[in-house]
């Protein structure tokens, strides 16, 4: 383990600036992420948060029958609860991003956990379905939103070299939580009825606060007053110290500097951008990711929703149909960390976008082949492959976004992406349901999902090929400019200016191998992949 | 086919009364006719058959009329040992017709019992068929029994022995068995019953002051009426929702589903409830359990979990403060050492550098 925990980033910088003359930071974070140590505790906390956020709506469906009877409402009315919950979880992304940008991950997650708990506890005392919509749908959903985004964001702050593994492990929390929450919900319901269950679930959701407590802020925003060891690097150190402070805890200070320089017209945009980086919409990689993912989510969740009904439709009994979903969850659980490890390997990581597009296309192919599966054995094979593909895509979902926009802008990026995906995620299953009702056959739904995902995968593959080439070109230009020392200075200082955003993200992608070598040099030459 | 049956009838029927034989010869023909009509045609001409049976009765034959449906309006003392209830002829004439057969001696593993669910008046034919492997057995005595009573009019075909029944009443349901006695004895039973209503095995949990809804469903068969009972001590008391309208609400959501809503629950509402479905041929009950808890019950686990969360959060924060202190101490120590080193370097100055050079 690196002795980084005892050594503040600032001193690390002074060391680096003395050793190499290249730009002091390989990533745009402003410091070297620990890639271990307390990071693993953060990963554990993130997996809890992510698990709750993704699986709580699914596990909640156990209460539908009872609530339907008590409030005398139809199934579609009761299903609104989970729809509102999902919509709020994804739609609350931008707000989550703004809050994280302002306050950091930890307070936001703790507040989110409290909100979830309050939402469920108040739901236990509801007397009408409308109150349930508000308590369970909005309040708990928003609490989960405040859990999901910060958990993913903080992984980017603690990991760089091992980030795909960390992402894979954190996302693996989802199937693990599903396997525990579903039987737990059933147990609670049998023993305490729905009101008591909601009360206890509220307490269980408070564990998100524990996860939040684990999210130690990294990179101290205030530079500690220390006697400078070397007189030489003193000035350089001060510069970097102030830049660090701006980079980590509060990027608000960054534009303030710029504001002083370019006052007036841009002040308003800057202010909005400090909270939510709308300039990302000019970012090529971000746009590619956004379009590809929005398309993909149209066909992502529908097959899971309809797998059990499809199995029952072709004559399989209820328990075997439920077992199919368990198989899916178990394969998913194993696939996610494995994908993380594969994505972290030196062959895949530089081309991680291709791996992502491949897994989406693989997922789509599974769906296209599903109607050919006959009988229970065929469906079991389909469930295994589907679980594998689903795990692969989920594990890399946020990793690829981090890879494209960099960890600093990831905060805003994830918020914008989730609110855009929100629409298609919600539309996916109802469209599938309409197809099934219209044609009376499940195969059209599978064909639609498969086609959409293969299309999304192909689109991402082609566009990322184009993106890699453009990045390589820009990197070459940047290297050519670097021959000249002057532009280097302006580049470093203007690092945070919005103009140089496209070139800035270069280091993240193509020259990652060089970056790794650079890191190796700096960190005792330990050979780590 | 039926003619064969009829003659077979005459042969295989157990004749107790010798005087019956001669009469039975004529009866058998009458029998065959009636059987033809009742067995195959749903809309058989009632008056004809009735008169025939009347004729039979006046001749005082003790023959068991398995075709119960005929003798509705005629009180025959020796007709059968069973009682016939008054039933409209239309019911019987519009009844459905079903056939059931059990193969004897039966494949090992399969039971020679059959459960037959009837919800309305039905004409039913039950038969026991002998496996072809055993068709060589000659002297076979076949007995049909209903409970303890022996039934007489058995229709025999090549290898099967059957009885025809008209069920329109609850009292006619039960277990009908056939016994084939030869070298070995083979036995088969048909259980005629009303549709079963399933209640819920798991208790429904609710809280004081809350509302509970209990649901009963009938699968496949539509009951004519639903009634709800609650258990008061050891007896079952019918729930009258019109009388206690602010406490109980009974709702027939659809033909096969009924809801009982109990408002303002108290501890006394805890217990077993029965939902009873009334069919033409009888009633069937389903059992449901209601558990009423006080709010304290889930509160204890809730508080326990909240306490656990607070403890964990405190531990995490304390550990963080502790490790930060440790860091600071270590960093301070390091800096102190470095400052010391610098001071010593400065003081030693050239000496040290020269020694370094020399070493290198």
């Amino acid at each position: 383990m690196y002795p980084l925990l005892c050594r503040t980033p600032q001193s690390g910088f002074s060391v680096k600036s003395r050793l190499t003359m290249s730009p002091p930071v390989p990533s745009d974070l402003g410091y070297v992420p620990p890639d271990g140590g307390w990071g693993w505790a953060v990963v554990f906390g993130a997996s809890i948060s992510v698990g709750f956020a993704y699986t709580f709506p699914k596990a909640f469906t156990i209460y539908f029958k009872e609530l339907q009877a008590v409030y005398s409402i139809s199934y579609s009315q009761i299903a609104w609860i989970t729809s509102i919950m999902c919509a709020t979880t994804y739609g609350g992304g931008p707000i989550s991003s703004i809050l994280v940008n302002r306050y950091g991950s930890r307070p936001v997650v703790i507040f989110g956990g409290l909100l979830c708990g309050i939402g469920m506890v108040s739901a236990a005392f509801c007397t009408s379905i409308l109150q349930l919509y508000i308590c369970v749908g909005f309040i708990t959903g928003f609490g989960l939103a405040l859990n999901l985004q910060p958990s993913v964001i903080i992984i980017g702050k603690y990991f760089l070299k091992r980030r795909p593994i960390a992402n894979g492990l954190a996302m693996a929390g989802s199937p693990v939580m599903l396997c525990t929450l579903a039987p737990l919900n059933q147990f609670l319901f049998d023993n305490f009825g729905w009101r008591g269950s909601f009360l206890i679930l509220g307490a269980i959701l408070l564990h998100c606060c524990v996860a939040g407590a684990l999210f130690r802020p990294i990179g101290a925003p205030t530079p500690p007053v220390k006697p400078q060891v070397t007189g030489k690097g003193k000035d350089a150190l001060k510069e970097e110290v102030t830049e660090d402070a701006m980079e980590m805890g509060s990027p608000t200070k960054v534009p303030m500097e710029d504001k002083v320089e370019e006052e007036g017209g841009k002040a308003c945009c800057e202010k909005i951008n400090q909270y939510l980086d709308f300039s990302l919409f000019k970012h090529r990689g971000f746009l590619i990711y956004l379009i590809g993912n929005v398309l993909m989510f149209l066909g992502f969740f529908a097959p899971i929703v309809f797998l059990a009904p499809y199995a029952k439709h072709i004559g399989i009994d209820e328990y075997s149909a439920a077992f199919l979903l368990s198989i899916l969850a178990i394969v998913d659980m194993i696939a996610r960390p494995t994908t993380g490890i594969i994505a972290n390997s030196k062959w895949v990581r530089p081309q991680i976008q291709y791996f992502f597009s491949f897994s989406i296309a693989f997922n789509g192919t599974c769906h296209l082949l599903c109607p050919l599966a006959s009988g229970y054995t065929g469906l079991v094979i389909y469930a295994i492959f589907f679980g594998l593909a689903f795990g692969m895509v989920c594990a890399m979902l946020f990793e690829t976004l981090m890879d494209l926009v960099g960890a600093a802008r990831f905060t805003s990026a994830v918020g914008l992406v989730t609110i855009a995906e929100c629409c298609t995620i919600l539309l996916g299953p109802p469209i599938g349901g309409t197809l099934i009702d219209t044609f009376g056959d499940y195969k059209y739904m599978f064909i639609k999902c498969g086609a959409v995902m293969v299309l999304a995968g192909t689109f991402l593959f082609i566009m990322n090929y184009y993106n890699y080439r453009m990045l390589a070109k820009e990197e070459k230009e940047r290297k050519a400019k670097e021959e000249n020392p002057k532009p280097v200075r302006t580049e470093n200082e203007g690092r945070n200016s919005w103009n140089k955003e496209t070139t800035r993200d270069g280091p993240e992608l193509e020259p990652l191998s060089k970056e790794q070598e650079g890191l190796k040099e700096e960190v005792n030459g330990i050979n780590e992949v | 086919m039926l003619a064969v049956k009829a003659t077979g009838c005459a042969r295989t029927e157990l004749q107790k009364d010798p005087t019956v034989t001669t009469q039975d010869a004529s009866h058998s023909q009458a029998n065959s006719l009636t059987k033809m009509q009742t067995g195959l045609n749903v809309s058989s001409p009632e008056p004809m058959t009735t008169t025939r049976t009347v004729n039979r009765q006046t001749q005082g034959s003790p023959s068991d009329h398995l075709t119960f449906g005929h003798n509705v309006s005629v009180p025959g003392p020796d007709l059968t040992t069973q009682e016939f209830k008054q039933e409209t002829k239309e019911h019987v004439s519009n009844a459905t017709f079903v056939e059931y057969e059990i193969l004897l001696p039966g494949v090992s593993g399969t039971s020679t019992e059959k459960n037959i669910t009837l919800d309305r008046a039905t004409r039913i034919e039950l038969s026991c068929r002998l496996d072809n492997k055993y068709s060589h057995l000659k002297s076979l005595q076949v007995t049909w029994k209903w409970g303890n009573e022996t039934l007489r009019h058995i229709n025999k075909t090549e290898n099967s022995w059957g009885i025809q029944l008209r069920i329109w009443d609850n009292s006619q349901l039960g277990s009908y068995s056939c016994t084939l006695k030869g070298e070995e004895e083979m036995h088969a039973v048909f259980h005629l019953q009303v549709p079963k209503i399933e209640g819920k095995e798991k208790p429904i949990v609710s809280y004081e002051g809350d509302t509970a809804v209990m649901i009963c469903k009938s699968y496949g068969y539509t009951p004519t009426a639903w009634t709800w009972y609650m258990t008061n001590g050891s007896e079952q008391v019918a729930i009258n929702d019109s009388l206690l309208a602010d406490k109980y609400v009974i709702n027939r959501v659809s033909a096969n589903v009924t809801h009982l809503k109990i408002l303002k629950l108290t501890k006394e509402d805890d217990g077993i409830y029965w939902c009873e479905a009334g069919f033409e041929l009888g009633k069937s009950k389903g059992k449901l359990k209601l558990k009423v808890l006080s709010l304290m019950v889930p509160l204890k686990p809730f508080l326990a979990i909240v306490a656990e969360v607070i403890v964990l959060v405190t531990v995490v924060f304390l550990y963080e403060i502790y490790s930060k202190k440790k860091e600071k101490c270590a960093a301070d120590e390091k800096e102190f050492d470095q400052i010391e080193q610098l001071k010593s370097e400065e003081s030693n100055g050239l000496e040290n550098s020269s020694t370094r050079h020399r070493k290198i």
Side-chain angles (χ1 to χ4, degrees), chain B residues 46-268:
Chain B
E46 279 301 323
M48 248 171 68
T49 51
T50 333
T51 44
R52 286 197 196 240
T53 49
V54 169
N55 288 336
R56 260 183 279 153
Q57 284 157 28
T58 50
Q59 286 172 24
S61 83
S63 54
D64 301 304
H65 287 276
L66 300 172
T67 52
F68 302 128
H70 293 290
N71 313 310
V72 175
S73 46
V74 180
D78 57 341
L79 260 166
T80 56
T81 44
Q82 299 144 18
E83 279 178 284
F84 297 110
K85 284 215 181 131
Q86 301 285 332
E87 189 71 26
T88 56
K89 291 176 195 165
E90 287 85 64
H91 269 265
V92 183
S93 58
N94 292 337
T96 46
F97 178 65
V98 286
E99 286 181 329
Y100 289 94
E101 189 176 83
I102 290 182
L103 190 65
L104 285 175
V107 185
S108 66
T110 58
S111 64
T112 50
E113 280 189 36
K114 230 183 182 84
N115 287 328
I116 300 165
T117 315
L118 301 169
D119 69 326
R120 64 183 70 164
T122 318
R123 286 176 220 208
I124 187 165
E125 180 176 334
L126 308 169
S127 54
C128 294
R129 173 181 290 283
L130 186 62
D131 205 334
N132 289 327
K133 293 185 268 181
Y134 297 86
S135 53
H136 58 276
L137 296 173
K138 287 297 166 187
S139 52
L140 272 176
Q141 277 184 348
V142 179
T143 336
W144 272 97
K145 275 193 176 176
W146 180 59
N148 286 330
E149 285 178 46
T150 314
L151 306 168
R152 290 193 168 251
H153 278 200
I154 302 174
N155 305 331
K156 188 189 183 306
T157 54
E158 232 178 83
N159 266 342
S160 81
W161 293 263
I163 50 169
Q164 286 191 347
L165 310 165
R166 271 186 169 192
I167 314 286
W168 76 78
D169 189 80
N170 191 34
S171 55
Q172 286 145 16
L173 297 171
S175 301
Y176 291 84
S177 61
C178 74
T179 321
L180 273 71
K181 271 190 217 155
E183 288 147 16
E184 297 169 6
E185 189 171 300
M186 291 180 268
H187 194 72
V189 187
F190 294 89
H191 299 285
L192 267 62
Q193 46 198 216
V194 284
K196 284 217 171 85
I197 303 290
E198 273 177 26
K200 259 183 111 179
E201 275 176 35
K202 290 190 207 164
I204 300 169
V205 180
S206 198
Y207 293 90
E208 288 168 3
D210 195 12
T211 308
V213 177
M214 295 200 270
I215 307 171
C216 249
K217 276 190 207 159
S218 162
Y219 295 99
Y221 302 95
T222 308
T224 49
W226 286 100
T227 323
W228 284 90
Y229 295 91
M230 60 182 279
T231 323
N232 202 354
S234 56
E235 56 176 55
Q236 292 181 8
V237 178
I239 296 176
N240 191 345
D241 59 332
S242 46
L243 198 63
L244 299 156
D246 58 344
K247 178 79 176 168
Y248 299 105
V249 177
I250 298 178
N251 204 5
R252 191 162 179 173
V253 171
S254 70
N256 288 0
V257 182
T258 182
H259 282 196
L260 171 69
K261 205 186 247 190
I262 309 178
L263 309 158
K264 294 181 237 167
L265 285 167
T266 61
K267 276 280 182 189
E268 286 98 43

Side-chain angles (χ1 to χ4, degrees), chain A residues 56-74:
Chain A
F56 192 72
K58 290 182 208 162
F60 190 78
T61 54
I62 287 177
Y63 301 105
F64 278 7
K65 240 184 173 175
E66 178 75 8
L67 289 171
Q68 255 187 282
V70 170
Y71 290 115
S72 312
I73 46 177
S74 68

Side-chain angles (χ1 to χ4, degrees), chain A residues 482-521:
Chain A
E482 252 177 47
E483 303 300 292
N484 223 343
K486 261 192 187 169
V488 171
R489 273 280 167 176
T490 49
E491 282 222 82
N492 277 343
E493 279 170 25
R495 191 172 11 128
N496 298 317
S497 76
W498 312 120
N499 298 329
K500 301 255 188 323
E501 67 215 28
T502 43
T503 50
R504 193 157 59 95
D505 299 303
E508 278 291 357
L509 288 165
E510 268 303 316
L512 195 64
S513 47
K514 292 180 204 160
E515 190 187 313
Q516 281 180 337
E517 283 166 1
L519 273 173
K520 281 181 207 166
E521 275 178 4

Side-chain angles (χ1 to χ4, degrees), chain A residues 5-6 38 66 69-70 72 106 110 121 125 186 190-193 195-196 199-200 203-204 206-207 209-210 213-214 216-217 226-227 229, chain B residues 202 204-205 207 210 213 215 261 293 295 297-299 301-302 305-306 308-309 312-313 316-317 319-320 323 327 330-331 335 338-339 342:
Chain A
L5 284 177
C6 295
W38 188 250
E66 178 75 8
V70 170
S72 312
R106 178 187 261 175
I110 293 180
V121 167
F125 298 101
Q186 188 65 51
D190 290 338
N191 285 305
F192 298 103
R195 286 197 198 265
L199 194 67
I200 296 176
I204 291 175
L206 283 178
H207 282 96
C209 295
V210 178
L214 289 169
R216 258 190 228 172
K226 277 166 146 194
V229 178
Chain B
K202 290 190 207 164
I204 300 169
V205 180
Y207 293 90
D210 195 12
V213 177
I215 307 171
K261 205 186 247 190
L293 303 171
L295 268 168
V297 175
L299 203 65
F302 172 75
I305 298 175
V306 170
E308 177 223 338
V309 165
L312 282 174
V313 171
V316 169
F317 277 125
Y319 178 71
E320 186 173 329
S323 58
E327 256 179 63
E335 282 193 37
Q338 281 174 330
I339 292 169
L342 268 178

